[in-house]
Amino acid sequence: MAPRTPQLSPRSLIRSVTLASEYGAEWVEVLAREIERNHRPDRSRLTVRWVWRVLPVPRLRQARCLVCADRWICPDVVWAEGLMSSGRRALD
């Protein structure tokens, strides 16, 4: 199965165009690049869940973003990847 390229949702597109009208398209592109560079997932952690307080059951905890601590993939990265994949035409 081929990986999907992220697309901007209508809400993200409106947010991007509004930011571009206030601060300029170049500023929005730089912001998206910075978010893509800084927001990274931490490693999934193997934890133990206790069943009936007796039986240990291994469990893999989902990765989280190192910057905002949301579940990976965080909304900021989804926005930045969608903006960078759609290119400058999304802001014009």
Side-chain angles (χ1 to χ4, degrees):
M1 187 162 93
R4 273 185 16 192
T5 58
Q7 298 295 320
L8 283 176
S9 68
R11 175 182 247 166
S12 295
L13 181 62
I14 291 169
R15 182 179 304 141
S16 301
V17 171
T18 304
L19 283 172
S21 68
E22 290 182 22
Y23 299 106
E26 293 80 21
W27 183 86
V28 175
E29 289 176 5
V30 169
L31 176 66
R33 276 191 227 108
E34 285 294 318
I35 287 174
E36 278 187 326
R37 187 177 336 151
N38 293 329
H39 286 248
R40 294 285 170 224
D42 66 352
R43 294 186 338 194
S44 299
R45 294 193 177 109
L46 185 62
T47 60
V48 175
R49 183 175 63 104
W50 293 91
V51 177
W52 300 304
R53 296 184 188 192
V54 178
L55 183 64
V57 177
R59 182 179 88 154
L60 192 63
R61 197 185 91 195
Q62 186 175 11
R64 295 199 171 269
C65 180
L66 290 173
V67 175
C68 61
D70 280 342
R71 285 187 169 181
W72 188 252
I73 186 168
C74 65
D76 293 336
V77 173
V78 171
W79 171 79
E81 287 181 354
L83 183 68
M84 297 309 289
S85 69
S86 64
R88 191 166 176 86
R89 61 187 150 83
L91 299 176
D92 293 334

